[in-house]
């Protein structure tokens, strides 16, 4: 029986991971930057320009959103540490997407390196 860790390692062996030092250039060249974390994680902070497509909804959002349905799109995915993004990249490849990559180390590595993070202001309910 495989564990979640086994599945992530298998996915990482089959997808292209972008090293943190190459991430900004890859994101600039991408057509879309997708955060596959959950909504609460995204709201707490995300990479500039990212759109939220939680991993659990990925296939449905890709299929149901014309702007994301082009199989030739250059896509960069990320999550908290890179496991979910690798699984998402593998899924997108199996759906026929040709140019998908995952950010090694994910959001945590990005933020730890002091790179820009967007933190939307939450309304105060005083």
């Amino acid at each position: 029986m495989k564990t979640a860790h086994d599945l992530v390692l298998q996915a990482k062996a089959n997808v292209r991971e972008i090293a943190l030092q190459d991430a900004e250039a890859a994101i600039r060249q991408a057509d879309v930057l997708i955060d596959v974390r959950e909504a609460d994680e995204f709201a707490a902070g995300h990479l500039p320009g990212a759109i939220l497509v939680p991993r659990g909804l990925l296939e449905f959002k890709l299929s149901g959103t014309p702007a994301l349905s082009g199989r030739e799109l250059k896509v960069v995915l990320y999550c908290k540490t890179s496991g979910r993004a690798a699984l998402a990249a593998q899924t997108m490849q199996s759906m026929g997407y040709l140019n998908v990559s995952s950010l090694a180390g994910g959001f945590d590595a990005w933020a730890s390196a002091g790179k820009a993070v967007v933190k939307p202001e939450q309304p105060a309910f005083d």
Side-chain angles (χ1 to χ4, degrees), residues 26-72:
I27 290 168
R28 277 193 306 276
Q29 294 172 2
D31 295 310
V32 64
L33 173 62
I34 300 176
D35 185 327
V36 297
R37 299 176 302 157
E38 296 298 317
D40 60 326
E41 293 173 291
F42 186 82
H46 56 272
L47 276 62
I51 62 168
L52 174 65
V53 181
R55 184 172 164 260
L57 299 174
L58 183 70
E59 297 90 332
F60 304 103
K61 292 286 189 180
L62 293 172
S63 296
T65 308
L68 298 176
S69 64
R71 299 309 197 252
E72 69 289 336

Side-chain angles (χ1 to χ4, degrees), residues 69-84:
S69 64
R71 299 309 197 252
E72 69 289 336
L73 285 174
K74 292 179 185 173
V75 180
V76 174
L77 301 160
Y78 74 92
C79 63
K80 180 175 173 48
T81 59
S82 73
R84 288 176 282 178

